[in-house]
Amino acid sequence: MPALALSCVVMGLGQAALFTFQPLLVAASGLGLARINSAFAIGSALFLIGAPLWALLGDRIGRRPVLLVALSGFALSHLALLALTLAARRGGLSADAVWGWLLASRVLYGLTVSGLVSSGQAWVGATLSGDARLAGLSRLSAGLSAGRLLGPVLASATLALDPLGPLWLVALAAWPALLAAARLREPAHRAGARTAPLPRGELFRLLWRFWPLAFACQCALGLVQYVAGMWLAARFGWSPTHAAAALGGMLTAAGVSALLVQLWLLPRYRLPARALPASGLLLALSIALMPLWHHPAAPWLAFVGLSLALAVMVPAYSNQAARAVPPAQQGRVSGSIAAAHTVGYTVSAALAGWLFERGADWPLWLAVACALASAAMLAALNRPQAAGRCCADKSA
């Protein structure tokens, strides 16, 4: 489990440091920010293809090979990004060549790293049961949260050592995790676990109970995150610098809150089923604070509440989905939920700016609607009859 959590830390570190790379690439390459962001967007979009495919392949060849490919892809893609930036600074590449190599590195990233989270979740699902599985999934989520918290701090610290410090940091960070993962053995299925796979139709019906939920909660998160900086400036009349600094503090507070839940609450206490719909309501109320309460404390409370709600929701419904299938199909379920998360976040990116131009609060109200839909779906999943269908192997 420590090696799996370390892998998630590395992935979170790379995601958080991504925004630090952008000024470096702009300065070194002369490319516009929009062109650079298009390459990053293509890499992220490939998670929609990679996550379910790696999950399906992991069900057949095992979790360990997929994890090693994902970490190797992370390391090599960021080494390529570092080499590209060094070459661009020396003036040896044209702008088109820089963009082409940048795109190639992000395609490598998207097609390989997309298997990391789903393989880790499937590993946990195949080896742990009941509350131990929920604790394991929460530790993986905590690894991502820790990486996202540490990323901006470490990236800023390395800038004092070298202008390309953030690139060196991420390019080298994956190698310790890769060495740790190489020492792992393929997980053995837990004793007493159901081994007969679900028929395709039954599996599809199961996934349809979780896909809209995963989509809605990530869409709510993205709608808030993609407009938060601009919304703060518009709401309180802050300068862009003031808004960016305040948003950084809010994200840090939210990340610390999520870590407390994922590392302390979920591994130690069994949450009652009624707490899950309540987490959806907390998500909706937290976001609604921003447009309803005209006070600088509102967004701080909103980000903390949003983070607490998602820290409970995502591991909980991922655990529910994993409990409903045998170990041989854990990867397929994890990959499908990861793909739904990616779609939700991608759709929110497309909608947020368009809605913000029509009204600063419009993206937030749509996020509230998505959160309320999540609460309703969680309530439906946790009705006694639904819980019986989704958790048939609870005693395993």
Side-chain angles (χ1 to χ4, degrees):
M1 185 61 66
L4 297 179
L6 179 60
S7 300
C8 290
V9 170
V10 168
M11 184 174 179
L13 183 70
Q15 290 174 342
L18 180 68
F19 298 108
T20 312
F21 296 164
Q22 293 171 333
L24 300 174
L25 289 171
V26 170
S29 66
L31 295 175
L33 183 60
R35 201 172 183 192
I36 288 174
N37 279 349
S38 67
F40 284 118
I42 290 170
S44 298
L46 288 173
F47 272 60
L48 294 175
I49 300 172
L53 287 182
W54 281 118
L56 181 61
L57 188 61
D59 286 340
R60 298 183 178 182
I61 67 173
R63 319 299 174 193
R64 182 175 176 272
V66 174
L67 183 63
L68 294 177
V69 167
L71 287 170
S72 298
F74 184 99
L76 293 175
S77 64
H78 285 95
L79 279 176
L81 192 60
L82 174 62
L84 168 65
T85 308
L86 290 170
R89 289 181 73 189
R90 297 190 183 100
L93 296 173
S94 67
D96 288 339
V98 170
W99 190 83
W101 282 107
L102 172 62
L103 178 61
S105 73
R106 300 315 293 176
V107 167
L108 174 63
Y109 175 90
L111 289 179
T112 56
V113 182
S114 53
L116 195 153
V117 172
S118 62
S119 65
Q121 290 177 335
W123 196 309
V124 170
T127 55
L128 301 176
S129 63
D131 293 338
R133 186 197 289 116
L134 178 58
L137 291 171
S138 69
R139 289 191 179 98
L140 295 187
S141 296
L144 284 170
S145 298
R148 290 164 182 160
L149 271 177
L150 292 172
V153 176
L154 293 178
S156 299
T158 57
L159 283 172
L161 303 175
D162 187 276
L164 298 183
L167 285 168
W168 283 104
L169 170 70
V170 181
L172 299 177
W175 297 102
L178 182 58
L179 292 174
R183 299 171 63 89
L184 294 174
R185 294 182 179 180
E186 183 66 25
H189 293 163
R190 63 186 185 275
R194 188 173 68 230
T195 57
L198 293 180
R200 182 174 298 180
E202 187 176 347
L203 177 63
F204 190 73
R205 286 192 296 272
L206 168 76
L207 289 174
W208 263 112
R209 294 200 288 270
F210 291 94
W211 282 336
L213 172 59
F215 171 87
C217 78
Q218 290 300 306
C219 194
L221 172 65
L223 285 165
V224 175
Q225 288 187 333
Y226 276 110
V227 302
M230 294 296 294
W231 183 87
L232 289 171
R235 180 73 174 223
F236 301 111
W238 293 344
S239 68
T241 302
H242 186 181
L247 181 58
M250 293 170 195
L251 291 172
T252 300
V256 171
S257 302
L259 277 178
L260 288 175
V261 170
Q262 292 160 346
L263 292 178
W264 178 74
L265 178 65
L266 293 181
R268 287 172 173 79
Y269 299 99
R270 182 173 183 174
L271 295 178
R274 64 179 178 274
L276 296 184
S279 67
L281 292 175
L282 174 61
L283 181 63
L285 292 173
S286 299
I287 299 170
L289 271 179
M290 294 174 69
L292 290 177
W293 188 25
H294 199 296
H295 191 280
W300 286 88
L301 293 174
F303 270 89
V304 170
L306 179 150
S307 181
L308 290 173
L310 291 176
V312 172
M313 288 171 62
V314 176
Y317 66 66
S318 299
N319 179 42
Q320 285 187 327
R323 291 166 72 175
V325 297
Q329 292 175 315
Q330 297 283 338
R332 199 171 309 183
V333 169
S334 299
S336 297
I337 290 177
H341 285 158
T342 303
V343 172
Y345 208 71
T346 303
V347 168
S348 70
L351 288 175
W354 181 81
L355 288 171
F356 185 82
E357 290 177 356
R358 283 148 182 81
D361 292 339
W362 282 27
L364 301 179
W365 286 121
L366 181 57
V368 170
C370 290
L372 290 173
S374 299
M377 286 183 277
L378 284 168
L381 279 175
N382 287 278
R383 287 199 304 263
Q385 62 271 28
R389 289 194 304 268
C390 293
C391 308
D393 67 330
K394 184 175 181 179
S395 59

